[in-house]
Amino acid sequence: MCIELFSLRDKVALVTGAGKGLGKSMALALSESGAHVAVASRTQSDIEATAQEILENGVKSIPIAADVTRQEDVDKMVEKVLTELNTIDILVNNVGTFLGGPFLEFSLEDWRKMLEINLTSTYLCSKVVGRHMVERQQGKIINVSSVLGMFGATNSAAYCASKGGVIQLTRALSIEWAKYHITVNAIAPYTMETEMTKTMLQDEKLKNIIVSRIPLKRIGKPADLSGPVVFLASKASDYITGQVLCVDGGFSVH
Ligand SMILES: NC(=O)c1ccc[n+]([C@@H]2O[C@H](COP(=O)([O-])OP(=O)(O)OC[C@H]3O[C@@H](n4cnc5c(N)ncnc54)[C@H](OP(=O)(O)O)[C@@H]3O)[C@@H](O)[C@H]2O)c1
């Protein structure tokens, strides 16, 4: 049956930044499709709450407190998943944040922070988990970029550069690891309702401008990523690699 292609029964996923927002929503979606899901973020209470909700779907879940910009934390995180859940079939590199401002006033410290959180985290997790996937000659990596990884935006140079980097890392790795049957794809959302965009969306005028640019005429919700992440994590997407799936209400079509 075609629907079986989307099943993640007995698969093991690791989702970074799963304490809230898009990461939490994607972790829950993967568990609803049958995957055991390890969830990581820096705030213990958040990931414990996510893991608790995942357990209610009748699968295993482990919360791991980790800062995925740190090699040591990433090593320990991956070791814990392999010890407790035996393997990692699916890696969702979701961690990311936004720091903006006029380029001439944007400090080197903030520039480095954006690259560390948005790009280096993806490098580190892909490398450590990828080693295991290469050994097993299988795996699915899903990187969360942004439509701002493809388009420019004012006061967003570091974010655009870091998310563009995520897209190019996705494409390069998809080629390098195709021979191991590892697929590497990216999801590129536009504005979604999460804590990251909360302050911005409280500005009604700005919110209306954003909505006016979206053909489907609404801001995205974390649940809008459920179908796309399950698709890219499942057998249904086995012949798709190196691609960027825009989940943006049609914004990028303009
Ligand atoms: N929301 C949007 O409109 C939008 C649009 C396009 C792309 N995106 C991308 O989607 C991803 C998720 O965004 P979101 O809106 O869901 O963000 P969010 O609500 O701020 O959640 C981010 C999650 O990542 C965790 N995190 C941040 N830094 C971390 C680190 N160094 N190590 C481990 N965990 C870390 C946070 O928890 P702790 O702080 O407790 O660690 C939190 O659980 C990001 O990559 C973002 O750039 C979002």
Side-chain angles (χ1 to χ4, degrees):
M1 287 283 281
C2 185
I3 194 75
E4 269 304 300
L5 286 174
F6 295 87
S7 170
L8 299 177
R9 205 178 313 119
D10 299 328
K11 298 289 182 193
V12 174
L14 166 61
V15 182
T16 70
K20 55 191 172 193
L22 306 184
K24 179 172 185 173
S25 187
M26 288 189 284
L28 282 164
L30 295 171
S31 72
E32 281 163 22
S33 291
H36 307 298
V37 190
V39 289
S41 86
R42 291 167 302 186
T43 310
Q44 183 81 34
S45 55
D46 282 353
I47 37 164
E48 277 175 7
T50 304
Q52 198 52 43
E53 283 187 50
I54 290 172
L55 290 174
E56 285 163 21
N57 290 326
V59 295
K60 295 178 201 162
S61 183
I62 48 171
I64 305 167
D67 178 343
V68 295
T69 63
R70 292 165 51 94
Q71 177 82 63
E72 199 190 346
D73 282 24
V74 172
D75 287 339
K76 281 189 191 152
M77 170 181 76
V78 174
E79 201 180 304
K80 191 168 163 70
V81 186
L82 293 178
T83 305
E84 296 193 22
L85 299 175
N86 296 319
T87 191
I88 301 174
D89 300 290
I90 301 152
L91 168 66
V92 182
N93 283 311
N94 164 72
V95 159
T97 195
F98 180 86
L99 289 176
F103 189 66
L104 289 180
E105 284 148 41
F106 203 76
S107 68
L108 179 59
E109 192 190 349
D110 282 350
W111 171 266
R112 287 194 168 130
K113 203 183 280 180
M114 289 302 286
L115 291 180
E116 284 278 299
I117 297 175
N118 292 352
L119 184 56
T120 306
S121 64
T122 303
Y123 154 81
L124 280 175
C125 295
S126 301
K127 200 167 166 191
V128 180
V129 175
R131 210 178 287 287
H132 165 75
M133 289 178 168
V134 165
E135 262 172 37
R136 294 182 67 220
Q137 304 257 312
Q138 67 178 75
K140 299 259 184 188
I141 298 179
I142 300 152
N143 297 326
V144 179
S145 176
S146 164
V147 290
L148 294 192
M150 297 181 287
F151 300 98
T154 191
N155 293 336
S156 307
Y159 189 77
C160 291
S162 64
K163 290 297 186 178
V166 170
I167 289 176
Q168 280 301 82
L169 176 60
T170 301
R171 291 178 175 143
L173 266 188
S174 73
I175 292 171
E176 193 165 326
W177 286 353
K179 60 178 178 286
Y180 305 120
H181 316 290
I182 297 167
T183 62
V184 190
N185 290 291
I187 289 178
Y190 184 43
T191 312
M192 315 289 281
E193 276 170 18
T194 67
E195 220 160 285
M196 196 179 98
T197 54
K198 202 171 166 186
T199 313
M200 182 179 80
L201 293 176
Q202 275 165 354
D203 180 339
E204 277 300 316
K205 201 171 151 210
L206 184 56
K207 184 176 173 180
N208 289 337
I209 293 171
I210 293 169
V211 171
S212 74
R213 291 178 183 152
I214 302 173
L216 289 178
K217 293 290 170 249
R218 67 171 175 86
I219 302 290
K221 293 188 183 304
D224 288 315
L225 290 186
S226 301
V229 77
V230 168
F231 170 61
L232 292 176
S234 68
K235 271 191 81 58
S237 61
D238 273 358
Y239 198 53
I240 296 174
T241 196
Q243 301 304 308
V244 183
L245 180 54
C246 295
V247 183
D248 63 354
F251 170 82
S252 55
V253 179
H254 283 305

PDB file of all heavy atoms in Angstrom, residues 1 11 32 56 59 80 95 108 139 149 162 173 183 186 198 251 253:
ATOM      1  N   MET A   1       0.844  -1.208   0.000  1.00  0.00           N
ATOM      2  CA  MET A   1       0.000   0.000   0.000  1.00  0.00           C
ATOM      3  C   MET A   1       0.878   1.258   0.000  1.00  0.00           C
ATOM      4  O   MET A   1       1.870   1.330   0.718  1.00  0.00           O
ATOM      5  CB  MET A   1      -0.877   0.015   1.263  1.00  0.00           C
ATOM      6  CG  MET A   1      -2.011  -0.966   1.257  1.00  0.00           C
ATOM      7  SD  MET A   1      -3.375  -0.400   0.229  1.00  0.00           S
ATOM      8  CE  MET A   1      -4.144   0.789   1.321  1.00  0.00           C
ATOM      9  N   LYS A  11      11.794   2.943  13.250  1.00  0.00           N
ATOM     10  CA  LYS A  11      12.926   3.818  12.905  1.00  0.00           C
ATOM     11  C   LYS A  11      13.293   4.660  14.121  1.00  0.00           C
ATOM     12  O   LYS A  11      12.464   4.888  15.010  1.00  0.00           O
ATOM     13  CB  LYS A  11      12.549   4.755  11.749  1.00  0.00           C
ATOM     14  CG  LYS A  11      12.202   4.038  10.464  1.00  0.00           C
ATOM     15  CD  LYS A  11      13.421   3.431   9.832  1.00  0.00           C
ATOM     16  CE  LYS A  11      13.114   2.755   8.511  1.00  0.00           C
ATOM     17  NZ  LYS A  11      14.219   1.914   8.054  1.00  0.00           N
ATOM     18  N   GLU A  32       4.372  10.228  15.642  1.00  0.00           N
ATOM     19  CA  GLU A  32       3.014   9.819  15.236  1.00  0.00           C
ATOM     20  C   GLU A  32       3.080   8.854  14.051  1.00  0.00           C
ATOM     21  O   GLU A  32       2.173   8.064  13.834  1.00  0.00           O
ATOM     22  CB  GLU A  32       2.173  11.050  14.865  1.00  0.00           C
ATOM     23  CG  GLU A  32       1.645  11.790  16.093  1.00  0.00           C
ATOM     24  CD  GLU A  32       1.170  13.208  15.763  1.00  0.00           C
ATOM     25  OE1 GLU A  32       0.859  13.493  14.594  1.00  0.00           O
ATOM     26  OE2 GLU A  32       1.147  14.020  16.705  1.00  0.00           O
ATOM     27  N   GLU A  56       3.531   9.413  24.744  1.00  0.00           N
ATOM     28  CA  GLU A  56       2.079   9.183  24.658  1.00  0.00           C
ATOM     29  C   GLU A  56       1.667   8.616  23.297  1.00  0.00           C
ATOM     30  O   GLU A  56       0.580   8.089  23.144  1.00  0.00           O
ATOM     31  CB  GLU A  56       1.317  10.488  24.952  1.00  0.00           C
ATOM     32  CG  GLU A  56       1.325  10.817  26.439  1.00  0.00           C
ATOM     33  CD  GLU A  56       0.958  12.271  26.737  1.00  0.00           C
ATOM     34  OE1 GLU A  56       0.323  12.911  25.880  1.00  0.00           O
ATOM     35  OE2 GLU A  56       1.338  12.743  27.833  1.00  0.00           O
ATOM     36  N   VAL A  59       5.673   5.236  21.464  1.00  0.00           N
ATOM     37  CA  VAL A  59       7.034   4.949  21.000  1.00  0.00           C
ATOM     38  C   VAL A  59       8.014   5.396  22.091  1.00  0.00           C
ATOM     39  O   VAL A  59       7.613   6.019  23.062  1.00  0.00           O
ATOM     40  CB  VAL A  59       7.352   5.699  19.678  1.00  0.00           C
ATOM     41  CG1 VAL A  59       6.475   5.192  18.545  1.00  0.00           C
ATOM     42  CG2 VAL A  59       7.186   7.212  19.862  1.00  0.00           C
ATOM     43  N   LYS A  80      24.614   8.718  23.506  1.00  0.00           N
ATOM     44  CA  LYS A  80      23.450   8.380  24.327  1.00  0.00           C
ATOM     45  C   LYS A  80      22.323   7.782  23.464  1.00  0.00           C
ATOM     46  O   LYS A  80      21.703   6.789  23.840  1.00  0.00           O
ATOM     47  CB  LYS A  80      22.953   9.638  25.058  1.00  0.00           C
ATOM     48  CG  LYS A  80      21.911   9.361  26.135  1.00  0.00           C
ATOM     49  CD  LYS A  80      21.714  10.620  26.976  1.00  0.00           C
ATOM     50  CE  LYS A  80      20.436  10.609  27.791  1.00  0.00           C
ATOM     51  NZ  LYS A  80      20.391   9.688  28.890  1.00  0.00           N
ATOM     52  N   VAL A  95      18.107  23.054  14.818  1.00  0.00           N
ATOM     53  CA  VAL A  95      18.534  24.194  15.645  1.00  0.00           C
ATOM     54  C   VAL A  95      18.865  25.416  14.796  1.00  0.00           C
ATOM     55  O   VAL A  95      19.527  25.324  13.770  1.00  0.00           O
ATOM     56  CB  VAL A  95      19.769  23.805  16.499  1.00  0.00           C
ATOM     57  CG1 VAL A  95      20.534  25.032  16.955  1.00  0.00           C
ATOM     58  CG2 VAL A  95      19.326  23.015  17.718  1.00  0.00           C
ATOM     59  N   LEU A 108      30.868  41.458  15.118  1.00  0.00           N
ATOM     60  CA  LEU A 108      31.557  40.217  14.752  1.00  0.00           C
ATOM     61  C   LEU A 108      31.096  39.089  15.672  1.00  0.00           C
ATOM     62  O   LEU A 108      30.925  37.941  15.259  1.00  0.00           O
ATOM     63  CB  LEU A 108      33.075  40.419  14.852  1.00  0.00           C
ATOM     64  CG  LEU A 108      33.954  39.208  14.534  1.00  0.00           C
ATOM     65  CD1 LEU A 108      33.705  38.697  13.115  1.00  0.00           C
ATOM     66  CD2 LEU A 108      35.429  39.549  14.710  1.00  0.00           C
ATOM     67  N   GLY A 139      20.540   6.170   5.689  1.00  0.00           N
ATOM     68  CA  GLY A 139      20.202   7.266   6.591  1.00  0.00           C
ATOM     69  C   GLY A 139      19.479   8.391   5.871  1.00  0.00           C
ATOM     70  O   GLY A 139      19.532   8.490   4.640  1.00  0.00           O
ATOM     71  N   GLY A 149      17.548  31.568   3.064  1.00  0.00           N
ATOM     72  CA  GLY A 149      18.788  30.940   2.604  1.00  0.00           C
ATOM     73  C   GLY A 149      18.900  31.034   1.087  1.00  0.00           C
ATOM     74  O   GLY A 149      19.935  30.727   0.504  1.00  0.00           O
ATOM     75  N   SER A 162      24.022  32.327   6.802  1.00  0.00           N
ATOM     76  CA  SER A 162      24.099  31.040   7.515  1.00  0.00           C
ATOM     77  C   SER A 162      23.117  30.031   6.930  1.00  0.00           C
ATOM     78  O   SER A 162      23.445  28.856   6.761  1.00  0.00           O
ATOM     79  CB  SER A 162      23.834  31.237   9.006  1.00  0.00           C
ATOM     80  OG  SER A 162      22.517  31.710   9.233  1.00  0.00           O
ATOM     81  N   LEU A 173      26.725  17.494   0.639  1.00  0.00           N
ATOM     82  CA  LEU A 173      26.700  16.192   1.332  1.00  0.00           C
ATOM     83  C   LEU A 173      25.845  15.179   0.592  1.00  0.00           C
ATOM     84  O   LEU A 173      26.136  13.980   0.621  1.00  0.00           O
ATOM     85  CB  LEU A 173      26.137  16.372   2.746  1.00  0.00           C
ATOM     86  CG  LEU A 173      27.137  16.593   3.869  1.00  0.00           C
ATOM     87  CD1 LEU A 173      26.424  16.549   5.210  1.00  0.00           C
ATOM     88  CD2 LEU A 173      28.253  15.556   3.826  1.00  0.00           C
ATOM     89  N   THR A 183      20.302  10.004   2.149  1.00  0.00           N
ATOM     90  CA  THR A 183      19.736  11.174   1.474  1.00  0.00           C
ATOM     91  C   THR A 183      19.860  12.381   2.397  1.00  0.00           C
ATOM     92  O   THR A 183      19.756  12.266   3.621  1.00  0.00           O
ATOM     93  CB  THR A 183      18.260  10.970   1.065  1.00  0.00           C
ATOM     94  OG1 THR A 183      17.471  10.771   2.233  1.00  0.00           O
ATOM     95  CG2 THR A 183      18.110   9.796   0.121  1.00  0.00           C
ATOM     96  N   ALA A 186      16.783  19.504   2.496  1.00  0.00           N
ATOM     97  CA  ALA A 186      16.524  20.653   3.376  1.00  0.00           C
ATOM     98  C   ALA A 186      15.056  21.060   3.297  1.00  0.00           C
ATOM     99  O   ALA A 186      14.403  20.880   2.263  1.00  0.00           O
ATOM    100  CB  ALA A 186      17.409  21.830   2.986  1.00  0.00           C
ATOM    101  N   LYS A 198       7.792  35.574  17.480  1.00  0.00           N
ATOM    102  CA  LYS A 198       6.702  36.113  18.296  1.00  0.00           C
ATOM    103  C   LYS A 198       6.673  37.647  18.331  1.00  0.00           C
ATOM    104  O   LYS A 198       5.658  38.274  18.021  1.00  0.00           O
ATOM    105  CB  LYS A 198       6.851  35.571  19.725  1.00  0.00           C
ATOM    106  CG  LYS A 198       5.587  35.604  20.523  1.00  0.00           C
ATOM    107  CD  LYS A 198       5.811  34.840  21.801  1.00  0.00           C
ATOM    108  CE  LYS A 198       4.701  35.128  22.801  1.00  0.00           C
ATOM    109  NZ  LYS A 198       4.995  34.506  24.076  1.00  0.00           N
ATOM    110  N   PHE A 251       5.374  31.567  -0.971  1.00  0.00           N
ATOM    111  CA  PHE A 251       6.184  32.801  -0.969  1.00  0.00           C
ATOM    112  C   PHE A 251       7.297  32.774  -2.022  1.00  0.00           C
ATOM    113  O   PHE A 251       7.500  33.735  -2.768  1.00  0.00           O
ATOM    114  CB  PHE A 251       6.789  33.018   0.425  1.00  0.00           C
ATOM    115  CG  PHE A 251       7.815  34.106   0.486  1.00  0.00           C
ATOM    116  CD1 PHE A 251       7.434  35.435   0.608  1.00  0.00           C
ATOM    117  CD2 PHE A 251       9.178  33.818   0.417  1.00  0.00           C
ATOM    118  CE1 PHE A 251       8.391  36.452   0.654  1.00  0.00           C
ATOM    119  CE2 PHE A 251      10.128  34.822   0.454  1.00  0.00           C
ATOM    120  CZ  PHE A 251       9.739  36.142   0.579  1.00  0.00           C
ATOM    121  N   VAL A 253       7.582  31.366  -4.780  1.00  0.00           N
ATOM    122  CA  VAL A 253       7.213  31.287  -6.199  1.00  0.00           C
ATOM    123  C   VAL A 253       7.314  32.662  -6.867  1.00  0.00           C
ATOM    124  O   VAL A 253       7.558  32.765  -8.065  1.00  0.00           O
ATOM    125  CB  VAL A 253       5.783  30.711  -6.337  1.00  0.00           C
ATOM    126  CG1 VAL A 253       5.374  30.635  -7.801  1.00  0.00           C
ATOM    127  CG2 VAL A 253       5.710  29.336  -5.702  1.00  0.00           C
TER     128      VAL A 253
END
